[in-house]
Amino acid sequence: MLLKNGYFLAVMAGVVWGFIGISTLNLSSLGMNTYEISFLRVLYAFILGMIYLYIKDRKKDKNIKYPPKKTWKYIIATGVVCQGLLNIFFSVAVIKTGTVTGIMLMDIGPLFTIIMCRIFFKEHITFIKMISLTMAFLGAVILITNGDFKNFNFNLTGVAFGLLGGACYGFYPIINKKVSDNFDPVRVTIYSFGVATIFLAFFLNKESLEIMFSQRAITGGIFYGLVPTLISYILYSKSMTYISPSTASIISLLEVPATTVVGIWLLHEPVGTFKVIGMMIVLSGMLLSKVKN
């Protein structure tokens, strides 16, 4: 069954994450900054996630399950680190180094996941896994830069924050795996959106409230919170029930070509040779991650 196939779920998560770019552009066109966009994203993901849990439990004639006390440390860590600090570090990296370099540094996240899987779960770092990651990352770099490596902008502070953002991104699968044996990781993720909402609220001001709760911002925020956030994270969390966190994180790099395809499809962006090459390399890396020996 496809819903029990970890590779399929991870691929679908990457595809759905492809709508991040168009969602961000839509909200930024309203004059919103990255903190406001991030706040709206986790706010609506939390609200819609709680509705999802309520409907799910009601169908089974059960009350909403609340996590035990020992699980709350993982929920807070996910909300603050993997959602809140991630967005802040990424914002600083983009400001200091530009969008291209900032996104590339974020895509190093799977490398941190592989290293932490070795530390926490004693998972072997296989040659095939590293080749798969290298290919996926190389393809993502070609896609992001469109083959023009002059787009790199090295700034020590920006690179440092970008690497911190990548580490926060790579830490999510580790927490997910830690709680999966004792509690539903999907619930942990949804509750963490609530923690992130509170955390990011401290970076807002009065002017932010006027922009964020206009009709267009609400519509755009609901789409952002539902499609490339709630749905993608549910798929990503579910995938790690069947495959290792390191493999799921490598497949998640499919987000980059998926974003490119969405841009070509909805924004009529030009299809260049380097984009095609980049997508083929990323997909090859995805396929290679399935090789066992």
Side-chain angles (χ1 to χ4, degrees):
M1 187 176 178
L2 286 177
L3 293 180
K4 292 185 177 181
N5 186 309
Y7 289 97
F8 172 77
L9 293 171
V11 166
M12 289 307 299
V15 170
V16 177
W17 260 321
F19 287 91
I20 283 181
I22 195 167
S23 299
T24 304
L25 285 173
N26 181 37
L27 292 175
S28 63
S29 67
L30 303 177
M32 296 173 62
N33 60 40
T34 51
Y35 300 111
E36 294 161 350
I37 293 171
S38 300
F39 175 81
L40 276 189
R41 181 188 186 187
V42 294
L43 171 65
Y44 287 113
F46 175 65
I47 293 171
L48 295 169
M50 292 302 294
I51 294 172
Y52 162 75
L53 292 179
Y54 176 77
I55 295 172
K56 180 182 176 183
D57 290 334
R58 193 176 181 184
K59 285 183 178 180
K60 295 181 179 179
D61 296 323
K62 295 180 181 179
N63 295 321
I64 292 180
K65 296 179 180 178
Y66 293 99
K69 289 182 180 179
K70 63 180 181 180
T71 307
W72 275 102
K73 63 182 179 181
Y74 295 112
I75 293 173
I76 294 172
T78 305
V80 174
V81 178
C82 304
Q83 300 291 345
L85 289 177
L86 169 64
N87 284 291
I88 292 171
F89 290 154
F90 177 66
S91 299
V92 175
V94 169
I95 291 170
K96 295 288 185 179
T97 65
T99 304
V100 171
T101 308
I103 293 174
M104 281 182 48
L105 291 168
M106 285 291 297
D107 286 338
I108 297 176
L111 177 60
F112 288 103
T113 302
I114 290 175
I115 294 171
M116 287 187 281
C117 278
R118 176 60 182 168
I119 295 171
F120 292 106
F121 307 126
K122 309 302 179 184
E123 185 178 312
H124 293 296
I125 303 176
T126 64
F127 176 73
I128 288 294
K129 190 168 289 183
M130 290 308 299
I131 291 296
S132 174
L133 174 61
T134 302
M135 289 180 66
F137 180 72
L138 177 61
V141 169
I142 293 172
L143 270 170
I144 294 166
T145 61
N146 199 22
D148 186 0
F149 294 98
K150 292 179 181 178
N151 290 323
F152 285 121
N153 182 14
F154 185 85
N155 175 281
L156 187 59
T157 303
V159 169
F161 275 95
L163 291 173
L164 286 172
C168 292
Y169 177 67
F171 197 54
Y172 172 79
I174 306 301
I175 297 178
N176 185 279
K177 192 66 176 178
K178 278 280 188 182
V179 301
S180 60
D181 294 334
N182 303 311
F183 195 71
D184 181 7
V186 172
R187 290 179 184 272
V188 170
T189 300
I190 291 172
Y191 295 151
S192 74
F193 289 140
V195 174
T197 301
I198 296 171
F199 179 77
L200 290 171
F202 288 100
F203 296 88
L204 305 178
N205 51 45
K206 292 181 180 179
E207 290 74 17
S208 299
L209 298 177
E210 295 178 4
I211 299 173
M212 290 189 302
F213 294 103
S214 64
Q215 185 175 352
R216 282 187 61 192
I218 291 173
T219 304
I222 289 174
F223 179 83
Y224 200 179
L226 176 62
V227 180
T229 306
L230 179 62
I231 293 176
S232 58
Y233 270 99
I234 288 176
L235 292 169
Y236 193 39
S237 297
K238 287 285 188 182
S239 73
M240 283 177 274
T241 305
Y242 308 102
I243 59 177
S244 69
S246 57
T247 301
S249 66
I250 293 172
I251 297 174
S252 72
L253 284 175
L254 187 62
E255 170 198 338
V256 179
T259 302
T260 304
V261 171
V262 170
I264 294 169
W265 173 35
L266 296 178
L267 302 178
H268 306 292
E269 294 178 353
V271 183
T273 303
F274 284 106
K275 286 185 178 180
V276 175
I277 293 172
M279 283 189 279
M280 293 301 293
I281 295 176
V282 172
L283 293 174
S284 298
M286 301 297 100
L287 293 173
L288 191 62
S289 68
K290 283 202 69 174
V291 175
K292 299 292 182 183
N293 300 298

